[in-house]
Amino acid sequence: MLAIDEKWMRRALEIAERGRGHVEPNPLVGCVLERDGQVVGEGWHEKFGQAHAEINALKQAKDRALGATCFVTLEPCCHHGKTPPCTETLVKAGVARVVAALEDPYPEVAGRSAAKLRESGIPVDFGLCADEARRQNAPYLKLVATGKPYIHAKWAMTLDGKIASRTGDSKWISSEASRRKVHELRGRMDAILVGIGTALADDPLLTARPPGARVAARVVLDTLARLPVTSKLAQTAAQAPTVVAVSVKAASDQTQVLADAGCQIWQVSEEFGRLDIDAVLKEMGKRRWTNILVEGGSEVLGSFLDAGAIDEVHVFLAARLLGGALARTPIAGHGLERIADSCRFVDWDSEQIEEDIYLRAWR
């Protein structure tokens, strides 16, 4: 592959981002058609159930696609799903070569598309900008590989690592601009999850304001079904789904009251007196939920860390000191015994938002 090829693949990755929040559980995909050093067509997967990136690029290129190289961030599909196979359309258009960042692990595609294209005389190369493509589609890749969603953990804390004072006061540690960023994040999630402690203490709404690309389900981990039917989460179940995850110990009359209010009740197994996080994730995976935002509190975040389930963190660091041995820290739970065993992140980024620092890190 030529050095110039990287330019076209990076453009494909750039436009693929435009589908974030709109295409899940499908992957983000961007496509650039290049011929004689010029872009003759480009497109991205814009919305779940609609045309794939390659088809949109071919529509733009029209007859200029003949002899072009197709740069695509994920292996084209070769099966009939909600849309026809992209491989057939690429062959009919006379594309001369396909360069894909990643092989698609989806069982009905996984290498088969490349084989079909090669059988039709079209060379296929993999691996260009593969690390970037893998990061971009980490939620999709995890869902396909494990049947479980990708977990985003979020919290705001002071410089000394406190998320609330010793009295429980936490409003507001972060700035208004940081809170707007959280609402943007919520707007591309399949679900926002908290524990019953947060639900009782804050009576949150857990919606994106203004609305984003997706309407996230609100999930409460509530072993004994203590969520009040008068809570905002229960009262707005008709506007945004509210899921209450309970154990077999929950009183049937209380779960029925919540169900009558429009809440979905999930009965999941317990582990060490708490709801089994892995069981909750499997329930989400069955529904093809891809991105989950865990907003806390510290016990819930600790449960996810103990389960090894955190994939990405979003931390809003405020230039404040709070102090107090009894003040709350972001992650409780059982924890790890040795620094060597700690949950490590391989990449991270930072951004200043007014007086706060927004830290984002990936496994």
Side-chain angles (χ1 to χ4, degrees):
M1 288 184 283
L2 302 174
I4 192 65
D5 289 353
E6 186 175 331
K7 173 184 176 180
W8 309 124
M9 186 62 79
R10 290 197 178 279
R11 174 58 181 169
L13 288 164
E14 178 185 346
I15 61 176
E17 275 296 320
R18 299 177 186 176
R20 192 173 294 281
H22 298 276
V23 304
E24 292 85 352
N26 281 356
L28 302 174
V29 183
C31 178
V32 170
L33 295 171
E34 173 270 334
R35 192 177 74 177
D36 300 326
Q38 299 292 322
V39 174
V40 296
E42 63 179 29
W44 66 96
H45 186 24
E46 297 177 13
K47 192 172 182 179
F48 179 75
Q50 294 185 4
H52 288 184
E54 301 92 322
I55 304 305
N56 288 328
L58 289 166
K59 284 179 180 177
Q60 188 181 97
K62 298 180 180 177
D63 58 359
R64 294 177 298 169
L66 181 65
T69 296
C70 171
F71 293 90
V72 63
T73 57
L74 192 69
E75 181 180 8
C77 70
C78 60
H79 66 291
H80 284 271
K82 290 186 176 293
T83 58
C86 292
T87 49
E88 291 181 7
T89 311
L90 289 167
V91 171
K92 288 177 182 177
V95 167
R97 174 178 169 234
V98 171
V99 179
L102 293 178
E103 183 178 291
D104 189 343
Y106 190 70
E108 292 187 54
V109 179
R112 297 182 184 182
S113 293
K116 287 181 180 292
L117 290 168
R118 288 168 180 146
E119 287 168 7
S120 299
I122 300 175
V124 180
D125 296 306
F126 285 109
L128 184 62
C129 298
D131 289 343
E132 295 90 333
R134 199 172 290 111
R135 171 65 59 212
Q136 184 176 69
N137 266 317
Y140 167 76
L141 296 174
K142 182 183 178 185
L143 184 63
V144 172
T146 69
K148 301 173 193 174
Y150 186 87
I151 302 300
H152 303 256
K154 165 262 167 185
W155 64 87
M157 69 181 184
T158 61
L159 287 175
D160 55 337
K162 310 297 185 183
I163 63 168
S165 72
R166 58 183 172 79
T167 64
D169 181 47
S170 62
K171 290 185 170 47
W172 293 98
I173 287 176
S174 59
S175 67
E176 185 176 343
S178 291
R179 298 196 295 276
R180 285 198 296 270
K181 175 69 77 172
V182 172
H183 281 279
E184 290 176 16
L185 191 60
R186 287 178 175 181
R188 61 179 180 84
M189 295 289 138
D190 291 297
I192 301 162
L193 183 147
V194 298
I196 186 59
T198 296
L200 293 175
D202 298 344
D203 192 22
L205 196 55
L206 300 181
T207 55
R209 301 184 294 278
R214 307 182 81 77
V215 177
R218 291 85 53 85
V219 179
V220 183
L221 300 187
D222 186 8
T223 306
L224 300 177
R226 292 188 291 148
L227 183 70
V229 73
T230 55
S231 66
K232 291 176 183 176
L233 291 169
Q235 290 293 305
T236 59
Q239 286 76 53
T242 299
V243 175
V244 184
V246 304
S247 79
V248 293
K249 295 178 182 176
S252 58
D253 56 345
Q254 178 60 13
T255 57
Q256 188 59 54
V257 167
L258 290 169
D260 290 344
C263 299
Q264 300 174 37
I265 307 298
W266 292 358
Q267 189 176 91
V268 298
S269 58
E270 280 187 57
E271 188 176 48
F272 307 118
R274 295 180 179 274
L275 294 180
D276 183 351
I277 297 301
D278 197 58
V280 172
L281 296 182
K282 287 177 180 176
E283 286 294 330
M284 292 175 169
K286 289 176 185 176
R287 292 158 176 81
R288 307 296 294 165
W289 291 358
T290 310
N291 289 280
I292 311 300
L293 181 62
V294 179
E295 293 206 11
S298 61
E299 290 296 334
V300 167
L301 285 165
S303 294
F304 274 81
L305 179 62
D306 290 343
I310 295 176
D311 299 296
E312 185 173 326
V313 297
H314 304 264
V315 180
F316 296 86
L317 184 62
R320 302 169 182 261
L321 293 174
L322 192 57
L326 299 179
R328 299 175 190 173
T329 56
I331 299 182
H334 182 68
L336 299 162
E337 294 182 358
R338 304 189 309 152
I339 296 294
D341 299 328
S342 60
C343 176
R344 299 191 63 173
F345 293 86
V346 298
D347 198 9
W348 66 283
D349 196 6
S350 65
E351 173 188 350
Q352 185 159 355
I353 303 178
E354 292 185 350
E355 65 268 30
D356 300 337
I357 299 295
Y358 170 37
L359 300 172
R360 186 180 177 192
W362 301 268
R363 294 287 300 271

